[in-house]
Amino acid sequence: MREALTGAGRCVLSAPPGSGKTTLVPLELLNQPWLKGQRILMLEPRRLAARASAARMAELLNEPLGKRIGFRVRFDQQVSRHTRIEVVTEGILTRRLQQDPELEGVGLVIFDEFHERSLQADLALALCLDVADGLRDDLRLLVMSATLEVDAVSKVLGGVPVVHGHGRSYPVETHYLSRDTEKSIPQTALSGIHRALNEQQGDLLVFLPGAREIRAVASRLEEQLSPDTLICPLYGDLGNDLQLQAIRPDPKGRRRVVLSTSIAETSLTIEGMNTVVDGGWSRQPRFDPNSGLTRLITLRLSRASAEQRAGRAGRLRPGVCYRLWTKAVQSGLNAHTPPEIQVADLAPLVLELAQWGVSEVDQLSWMDPPPKGAVAQARELLQALEGLDKKGRITAYGRRMLSLPLHPRLAHMLLLAVASGQTAVAADIAALLSERDILQRSAGIPAATDIDERLQWLRRWRDSGRRVMAAGVDVTACTRVDRVSRQLRRLKLQEEPKSLPPLSLGGLLASAYPDRVARRRGRDGHHYQMASGRGVHLPEGDSLGREEFLVVAHLDAGRSEGRVYLAAAIDVKQIRESMGSCIALISEIVWETRSRTVVSRQKEVLGAVVLSTRLLESPDPEAVKDAMLEGIRTLGLKVLPWDRESQAWRARLMSLRGWQPEAGWPDLSDRTLLETIDRWLAPWLQGITRPEQLKRLNLEMIFRSGLDWEKQQRMEQLAPTHIRVPSGSYKRLEYRPGEPPVLKVKLQEMFGLAETPTVCSGRVALVLHLLSPAQRPIQVTRDLEGFWGRTYQEVKRELKGRYPKHYWPDDPWEAIPTARVRPRK
């Protein structure tokens, strides 16, 4: 490894847990000739690991922390002018690179536990490679991990050597469940813990997905185990004292059960551990660029993570790992956890790249390039926050945002608060949103979502001399929030004269979360729609359910609706004051299905949230017509006033279209009428906004207007409405498209006529419904001559018996046609 760094200047080190990567490798490299007079920067993915590894290296040198070995994390540091190895968290390195791209005085950057593939680690490596390729060919880079796709990272470093370390690790005996369990994660963990306590000696390290499960398991264990066993939670939001209690052996010699998140997978050596109970789950964020929201999901861990966890048991002596899943599940695990850059909110990364001068992400070298959709969503948000201009370049205001150790949303809020004289309250809000919740959740009872309630408890806690105020208020969390708030207030914010009016709590939050202003929908008081269009819901019974408008700060994106965890009330006036430039007035003329009418209104909107509505006094007539047409399409053609005349006219024309396809008669089928309704009906809809008003339309006249005068005359000739029969009467013809017209006429009125009447210039013979004197059909025929010759005599006998007073001549050819009982003399 020393030779690789001396020659190529870059190297990949893959070595198992316990091999001394974190604490021995930096010390071994400290005296290399190429490092003379320069520092080593070593990145750790977590603050706890950064402090612990720095303390261990100082201990190995028998020096106080802060001399040759130091650390620097968010809002905390122990370094001096003598420091040669500086352990930092990843965001610290990124900020240092932005301020000093040449990394003056730094000879080596070590990326420890790179397999975790955090967003900041990927960004820092991409920036360091850019520096090494363009500014500092003497800057050396070392990437270390116990489980890493070494070929991929070697390739992105330029095909550099890969060094495999073996170190001193002890065998770990692995146990699996014999069958799948239907128990919950805490229940399964409790069973595994009791088994391990009974079968093994010494302390236990238990892996659980999150703080919620840790609290549930700790509560049950405290009831079930004797005081001789110490229950030690371990997760990132705990105070230093509690974290150290979990890492170090108990001074009283009590047996420990350390309940940890994945924070204990790497870097940390938890002293005295030789037994691991692995629940097999991890909680990971998943960012949805379509909604702009992050959803925490609980997933099976990867095989690489499982190996890391098991390795904790074999760091100091042979150990045992109880895996609370079956061998079949093990075979189906993913090889690695997806890198954070593929699943995270990329707004901080995109702002960093804009400051670096990178307009397109593919200008840098990445192991996995950032997804285009997430990058586009991040740019859109940053432009709304005024951190980027329309071309995606960083603004002066964006540089100020980037100078703050906060997400761009909260940085924007804090800078806005400086201009309105509200720095203190904005610092409190940012701290509350950045740190662990100060209100503890009871089992099965969600904490209130109101941020204002937390601000009030924080003030009471300060006023009381930092004593416990009430059950459910986390004093340790209050201490941390207060510390972060004070550190934010001490930042060198650009001083400006007070230039903006003060904003409410909701107004300040809306400046950070403009896309999360939400309005209640429905009447149950728990479901809201945000400006982004996403639906969210409050826990049942939450006090904020009385509010019409909210600003949502923390939520789980969920699958169909997001669950709100932190929010604040806001009213329309405050929304207008804080977000006036984002509010639009939209004239809306639409068909409203529920009321079955055209509604003309003006909406005041913030994204998908409607702030107010009023009726339009003079709506655009054409837009009203379009909306009414949409209503007719929705309701169907049956809503039109189809009287007998309009139906008959349509049937005549459609019959002609079938008989004379070459003549170009228009198509009045239902499908075509709906498709062309904007052409033939729209001109007649002036002033019509409801279906009842359609009664004033004359469809026959509307259809006729579609034909010129010549065709109208032609239609009357070819498809007449009535036909004169031998008796002299005019009888109506019934038309059905695709069928011959029907003539219903009393038999006696047709005496003397031999040929069946026709239409369409003799092309189509009528269907004759010959009726009795009582208007009942006695014969249907298209062959009148055949009827007289073959059937009439038989019909005559039957009718003569039934209607003896009527005229029934023997010879129908010579008989006088009549509409009366007897022909006139």
Side-chain angles (χ1 to χ4, degrees):
M1 180 181 62
R2 284 192 291 264
E3 293 176 0
L5 288 173
T6 301
R10 302 175 187 179
C11 182
V12 179
L13 172 60
S14 177
S19 57
K21 297 187 306 299
T22 301
T23 54
L24 297 182
V25 168
L27 296 177
E28 284 293 318
L29 296 174
L30 191 58
N31 296 317
Q32 290 299 298
W34 44 263
L35 198 61
K36 185 176 181 180
Q38 298 187 95
R39 289 186 176 190
I40 295 175
L41 285 184
M42 184 169 77
L43 274 73
E44 289 293 339
R46 295 180 176 86
R47 286 175 282 182
L48 175 60
R51 291 190 185 96
S53 57
R56 177 58 179 161
M57 285 189 282
E59 184 182 346
L60 291 174
L61 293 179
N62 197 26
E63 290 181 357
L65 188 61
K67 196 174 180 182
R68 279 192 290 174
I69 310 298
F71 74 87
R72 196 187 304 264
V73 299
R74 182 173 178 257
F75 297 135
D76 193 12
Q77 63 181 42
Q78 278 188 264
V79 294
S80 68
R81 60 188 179 89
H82 304 290
T83 300
R84 296 286 312 285
I85 300 176
E86 189 176 329
V87 186
V88 299
T89 46
E90 295 148 339
I92 300 295
L93 174 59
T94 305
R95 181 159 288 105
R96 188 162 178 174
L97 280 162
Q98 295 282 18
Q99 295 170 352
D100 176 20
E102 294 190 16
L103 287 180
E104 184 177 356
V106 176
L108 172 65
V109 180
I110 300 176
F111 294 81
D112 192 24
E113 307 299 350
F114 191 72
H115 73 277
E116 293 197 16
R117 298 295 309 284
S118 70
L119 178 65
Q120 286 292 332
D122 274 16
L123 173 60
L125 180 60
L127 297 184
C128 283
L129 286 169
D130 202 35
V131 170
D133 292 337
L135 296 174
R136 288 275 312 274
D137 58 3
D138 63 328
L139 181 64
R140 288 169 167 79
L141 305 175
L142 173 61
V143 179
M144 304 193 305
S145 177
T147 57
L148 182 67
E149 297 176 71
V150 292
D151 292 338
V153 75
S154 172
K155 181 180 180 181
V156 80
L157 289 175
V160 301
V162 177
V163 176
H164 294 275
H166 301 289
R168 184 181 65 178
S169 59
Y170 295 91
V172 175
E173 182 182 355
T174 304
H175 298 278
Y176 292 91
L177 295 182
S178 58
R179 62 179 182 274
D180 291 329
T181 178
E182 296 182 359
K183 295 180 180 178
S184 67
I185 293 174
Q187 289 173 333
T188 304
L190 285 165
S191 299
I193 290 168
H194 284 296
R195 177 185 173 187
L197 288 171
N198 292 331
E199 295 179 359
Q200 306 299 327
Q201 301 295 317
D203 297 341
L204 269 64
L205 173 59
V206 183
F207 284 101
L208 291 163
R212 182 173 67 245
E213 291 80 6
I214 288 175
R215 287 192 290 267
V217 172
S219 176
R220 293 295 304 275
L221 288 177
E222 286 169 355
E223 297 172 356
Q224 297 169 355
L225 301 180
S226 70
D228 294 336
T229 302
L230 187 62
I231 311 301
C232 302
L234 179 59
Y235 47 89
D237 287 336
L238 282 179
N240 288 341
D241 292 343
L242 292 175
Q243 290 179 345
L244 290 175
Q245 183 185 53
I247 293 172
R248 296 173 180 172
D250 181 53
K252 297 181 181 179
R254 290 175 291 181
R255 192 177 190 184
R256 291 180 303 153
V257 177
V258 177
L259 306 175
S260 177
T261 61
S262 57
I263 193 173
E265 278 186 23
T266 57
S267 301
L268 295 175
T269 297
I270 301 180
E271 299 177 32
M273 288 296 165
N274 71 321
T275 303
V276 166
V277 178
D278 188 355
W281 299 92
S282 66
R283 187 154 293 130
Q284 300 172 19
R286 289 292 183 270
F287 180 73
D288 178 7
N290 294 318
S291 66
L293 298 177
T294 298
R295 180 165 60 98
L296 283 174
I297 57 176
T298 303
L299 298 171
R300 281 288 184 187
L301 78 175
S302 65
R303 290 199 300 272
S305 292
E307 290 304 311
Q308 286 277 16
R309 294 181 179 185
R312 301 295 97 184
R315 294 194 107 175
L316 304 176
R317 58 184 179 274
V320 178
C321 176
Y322 292 88
R323 289 179 171 169
L324 305 183
W325 63 89
T326 63
K327 288 185 176 180
V329 170
Q330 172 69 18
S331 65
L333 296 179
N334 293 327
H336 296 276
T337 304
E340 188 181 6
I341 200 169
Q342 293 185 343
V343 295
D345 176 1
L346 297 186
L349 179 140
V350 170
L351 192 59
E352 293 278 5
L353 293 180
Q355 169 76 341
W356 194 253
V358 171
S359 57
E360 299 296 334
V361 294
D362 55 11
Q363 292 177 245
L364 296 180
S365 298
W366 306 91
M367 279 193 65
D368 294 279
K372 292 181 179 179
V375 170
Q377 194 279 335
R379 283 185 179 144
E380 183 178 344
L381 172 64
L382 292 169
Q383 287 167 344
L385 298 178
E386 301 179 9
L388 298 181
D389 63 20
K390 293 182 179 180
K391 294 184 178 180
R393 297 173 301 198
I394 193 167
T395 62
Y397 185 74
R399 292 189 179 91
R400 293 178 60 202
M401 291 168 60
L402 195 57
S403 69
L404 303 179
L406 294 167
H407 189 283
R409 289 182 184 270
L410 298 180
H412 174 62
M413 179 191 71
L414 188 58
L415 291 173
L416 194 69
V418 172
S420 62
Q422 299 173 281
T423 305
V425 67
D428 281 350
I429 296 170
L432 283 167
L433 297 179
S434 301
E435 299 299 321
R436 188 175 83 245
D437 195 355
I438 66 172
L439 297 186
Q440 297 173 329
R441 293 172 173 82
S442 303
I445 304 176
T449 62
D450 195 351
I451 297 174
D452 188 40
E453 183 176 339
R454 288 160 176 78
L455 283 172
Q456 293 178 27
W457 278 116
L458 184 63
R459 291 170 189 142
R460 291 175 192 169
W461 173 79
R462 287 168 175 158
D463 294 342
S464 68
R466 286 146 172 80
R467 295 192 302 272
V468 177
M469 292 296 300
V473 179
D474 188 332
V475 174
T476 303
C478 285
T479 303
R480 185 164 187 84
V481 166
D482 180 65
R483 178 187 178 196
V484 171
S485 178
R486 285 186 283 108
Q487 289 165 330
L488 287 173
R489 279 176 271 167
R490 287 198 297 266
L491 291 173
K492 294 180 180 179
L493 299 169
Q494 183 175 334
E495 294 297 330
E496 292 182 354
K498 184 177 176 181
S499 57
L500 295 175
L503 294 171
S504 65
L505 167 59
L508 286 170
L509 277 175
S511 69
Y513 301 96
D515 52 330
R516 298 188 192 172
V517 173
R519 184 172 188 176
R520 183 169 56 193
R521 59 183 183 184
R523 298 183 179 180
D524 62 1
H526 295 92
H527 296 271
Y528 289 75
Q529 183 178 36
M530 299 193 299
S532 65
R534 182 73 171 181
V536 294
H537 68 273
L538 291 167
E540 192 73 28
D542 192 272
S543 61
L544 284 181
R546 300 189 298 265
E547 304 293 337
E548 183 71 15
F549 294 95
L550 301 177
V551 184
V552 181
H554 282 183
L555 72 159
D556 179 354
R559 295 191 179 276
S560 57
E561 271 195 334
R563 155 101 182 263
V564 177
Y565 291 103
L566 291 175
I570 189 171
D571 61 32
V572 171
K573 181 180 178 182
Q574 295 163 358
I575 294 173
R576 293 185 181 119
E577 289 173 352
S578 61
M579 308 196 65
S581 62
C582 301
I583 295 172
L585 291 177
I586 299 175
S587 293
E588 184 180 74
I589 301 173
V590 297
W591 170 260
E592 194 175 73
T593 301
R594 187 167 55 100
S595 61
R596 289 170 55 99
T597 187
V598 173
V599 178
S600 303
R601 57 199 169 202
Q602 185 181 71
K603 287 183 175 180
E604 183 187 21
V605 298
L606 175 67
V609 170
V610 179
L611 303 179
S612 66
T613 304
R614 69 176 183 86
L615 293 178
L616 283 174
E617 295 180 1
S618 301
D620 178 9
E622 292 304 313
V624 173
K625 287 181 183 179
D626 290 342
M628 190 63 212
L629 288 172
E630 183 59 33
I632 296 171
R633 291 188 188 98
T634 302
L635 298 173
L637 292 177
K638 64 182 182 295
V639 75
L640 295 177
W642 292 100
D643 56 17
R644 180 180 179 184
E645 287 71 22
S646 59
Q647 290 176 331
W649 198 94
R650 181 190 183 197
R652 290 164 62 205
L653 184 107
M654 289 299 291
S655 295
L656 276 176
R657 178 179 170 82
W659 301 331
Q660 293 183 328
E662 73 286 352
W665 296 102
D667 184 2
L668 297 188
S669 64
D670 284 357
R671 177 178 178 179
T672 301
L673 285 177
L674 279 173
E675 289 176 352
T676 62
I677 196 170
D678 55 330
R679 294 203 297 269
W680 66 270
L681 185 60
W684 306 89
L685 294 180
Q686 190 72 31
I688 293 179
T689 59
R690 299 188 304 275
E692 304 81 58
Q693 296 172 332
L694 293 171
K695 293 177 182 178
R696 69 179 68 161
L697 299 179
N698 185 325
L699 287 183
E700 181 185 356
M701 183 183 69
I702 293 173
F703 291 147
R704 284 183 182 277
S705 67
L707 299 180
D708 58 31
W709 184 86
E710 183 180 345
K711 277 210 166 184
Q712 289 187 38
Q713 296 304 308
R714 186 75 176 146
M715 179 176 169
E716 295 303 324
Q717 295 170 3
L718 297 176
T721 58
H722 294 73
I723 190 171
R724 187 175 183 183
V725 296
S727 67
S729 301
Y730 282 89
K731 298 294 184 182
R732 179 184 292 274
L733 298 181
E734 296 180 8
Y735 290 83
R736 296 186 182 90
E739 300 178 12
V742 172
L743 171 62
K744 294 181 179 180
V745 59
K746 287 193 292 185
L747 181 151
Q748 294 144 305
E749 296 192 63
M750 301 298 286
F751 287 152
L753 182 63
E755 294 184 4
T756 305
T758 63
V759 293
C760 195
S761 299
R763 186 180 295 187
V764 179
L766 304 182
V767 175
L768 301 179
H769 285 214
L770 300 176
L771 309 178
S772 71
Q775 303 290 325
R776 294 190 180 90
I778 54 175
Q779 185 72 24
V780 175
T781 183
R782 294 187 72 186
D783 181 7
L784 185 59
E785 183 179 3
F787 168 75
W788 296 135
R790 294 188 294 272
T791 313
Y792 170 72
Q793 296 300 330
E794 182 179 342
V795 169
K796 182 195 73 170
R797 284 194 295 273
E798 180 182 346
L799 292 176
K800 194 172 184 179
R802 192 179 302 173
Y803 306 100
K805 295 182 179 181
H806 282 256
Y807 175 56
W808 303 115
D810 293 331
D811 185 359
W813 305 102
E814 299 298 332
I816 302 171
T818 181
R820 301 165 58 82
V821 175
R822 295 277 177 176
R824 293 181 184 272
K825 295 183 180 178

